[in-house]
Amino acid sequence: MALTVKNRRVVAKGSLMIGLIIGAVFAAGPVLWMLSSSFKSNTQIFELPPRLITDTFSFDAYIAIFTNAETVRFFLNSYIVAGSVTILTLIVAIQAAYAFSRFDFRGKRILNVVIVSVQAVPPITLLIPYFGLMVGLGLYNSYAGLILTYMVFTLPYAIIMMTGYFNTLPRELDEAVRVDGAGSFTALWRILVPISVPGIVSVGIYTFMIAWNEYLFALTLTRTIDMRTVPIGIQLLMGQHSYEWNQIMAMSVLGSIPVLILFLFFQRYFISGLTAGSVKS
């Protein structure tokens, strides 16, 4: 018996809901298991059959992390590096994007090509050159070395996104400020920046995520424990003969919290900033 139009819609909606549920379980399952494992002992993690929720919750893994000066230092380093990269990237990107959006100057097209080209270069291909460069400049195993290196990869995206966002703002705003006798610097920071908060927030969150989660350069450009970041700290919990799985999971949970908080607080700005920047180029 052929399905009616109404029945087809019901089947289509039901199939869509089933697909979404399967996708949600697939995406959220590892996160829930990570969170659950952080409250277990190592023996409970490997018990059969596995259980997502245990009878007793243990905070031993979190206590071990917070009472260990080295792991606390990992978080401090990540906050310093990621925060500095985010602030400096936004300051440079806002001014560069304003120049690309509002002015015509010699070499503008070439600079645009260079910025896009940097985005296309796989970071791993630059690992050895940057290692030699940081050693030669005396910035190896330092905050400055990590911050400058990360900015090379965060600035192109930030400039492209902010340029697209500034392009959506009418030039009449700048002209009105100039009529009052103010310059371009005032027009940028007093007028355009305050109304560009969604774009700035979206770029800032993306930049913070890149700097916070970066592993390869943090491993290569640092040597001592006191300069390691959270991703390296998680890897260091994997010993030669045993893994501290509960501490690994606990540190992963703690490492996810800053980005999660940023996204939850600025979700509205983040989404509107991404969409607004793609309207006009």
Side-chain angles (χ1 to χ4, degrees):
M1 184 177 182
L3 295 175
T4 63
V5 175
K6 182 177 181 180
N7 290 336
R8 289 177 180 175
R9 291 178 179 175
V10 172
V11 172
K13 289 182 179 179
S15 301
L16 178 61
M17 289 300 298
I18 293 174
L20 291 175
I21 291 173
I22 293 174
V25 171
F26 184 80
V31 178
L32 292 176
W33 183 256
M34 176 183 70
L35 182 62
S36 173
S37 299
S38 68
F39 294 102
K40 298 177 181 178
S41 63
N42 282 335
T43 55
Q44 288 177 324
I45 292 176
F46 293 99
E47 67 180 359
L48 293 174
R51 291 189 298 174
L52 186 63
I53 301 177
T54 60
D55 297 332
T56 58
F57 283 85
S58 173
F59 291 90
D60 292 343
Y62 291 94
I63 293 174
I65 290 174
F66 285 120
T67 56
N68 188 332
E70 290 184 355
T71 55
V72 173
R73 180 74 186 202
F74 297 152
F75 282 96
L76 177 62
N77 291 339
S78 286
Y79 279 116
I80 292 175
V81 173
S84 300
V85 170
T86 302
I87 293 172
L88 292 175
T89 296
L90 287 177
I91 292 174
V92 176
I94 287 172
Q95 297 180 85
Y98 181 70
F100 281 116
S101 175
R102 292 299 194 261
F103 302 104
D104 290 321
F105 51 88
R106 182 177 300 178
K108 177 178 178 180
R109 181 171 298 180
I110 296 176
L111 285 176
N112 274 319
V113 172
V114 171
I115 291 172
V116 175
S117 300
V118 171
Q119 282 287 93
V121 176
I124 193 172
T125 61
L126 302 175
L127 184 62
I128 301 303
Y130 268 102
F131 176 80
L133 179 63
M134 293 304 158
V135 172
L137 294 176
L139 298 178
Y140 178 68
N141 197 50
S142 68
Y143 289 132
L146 286 179
I147 292 170
L148 291 176
T149 302
Y150 289 174
M151 287 183 64
V152 172
F153 302 104
T154 58
L155 266 176
Y157 172 86
I159 293 174
I160 292 171
M161 286 296 297
M162 288 308 305
T163 301
Y165 196 90
F166 283 153
N167 285 340
T168 65
L169 303 178
R171 293 178 179 268
E172 287 77 7
L173 294 173
D174 308 52
E175 296 172 358
V177 175
R178 294 192 182 94
V179 169
D180 294 336
S184 299
F185 187 84
T186 302
L188 171 62
W189 293 105
R190 293 289 184 88
I191 304 298
L192 297 186
V193 168
I195 63 178
S196 302
V197 172
I200 294 173
V201 168
S202 62
V203 171
I205 293 177
Y206 173 83
T207 302
F208 186 88
M209 289 172 56
I210 293 296
W212 182 268
N213 295 320
E214 204 285 323
Y215 173 84
L216 188 62
F217 284 92
L219 177 64
T220 306
L221 299 181
T222 59
R223 180 183 69 255
T224 58
I225 293 293
D226 63 321
M227 284 303 303
R228 301 295 195 182
T229 56
V230 170
I232 310 303
I234 294 175
Q235 188 268 334
L236 291 176
L237 292 174
M238 302 178 184
Q240 183 177 359
H241 302 290
S242 64
Y243 288 4
E244 296 294 339
W245 286 110
N246 56 348
Q247 293 186 35
I248 292 174
M249 297 301 176
M251 198 164 180
S252 299
V253 171
L254 294 173
S256 304
I257 289 176
V259 176
L260 180 62
I261 291 176
L262 282 176
F263 184 79
L264 290 178
F265 272 95
F266 299 105
Q267 181 179 8
R268 177 167 59 91
Y269 295 108
F270 181 70
I271 295 175
S272 61
L274 289 178
T275 54
S278 61
V279 173
K280 181 181 177 182
S281 60

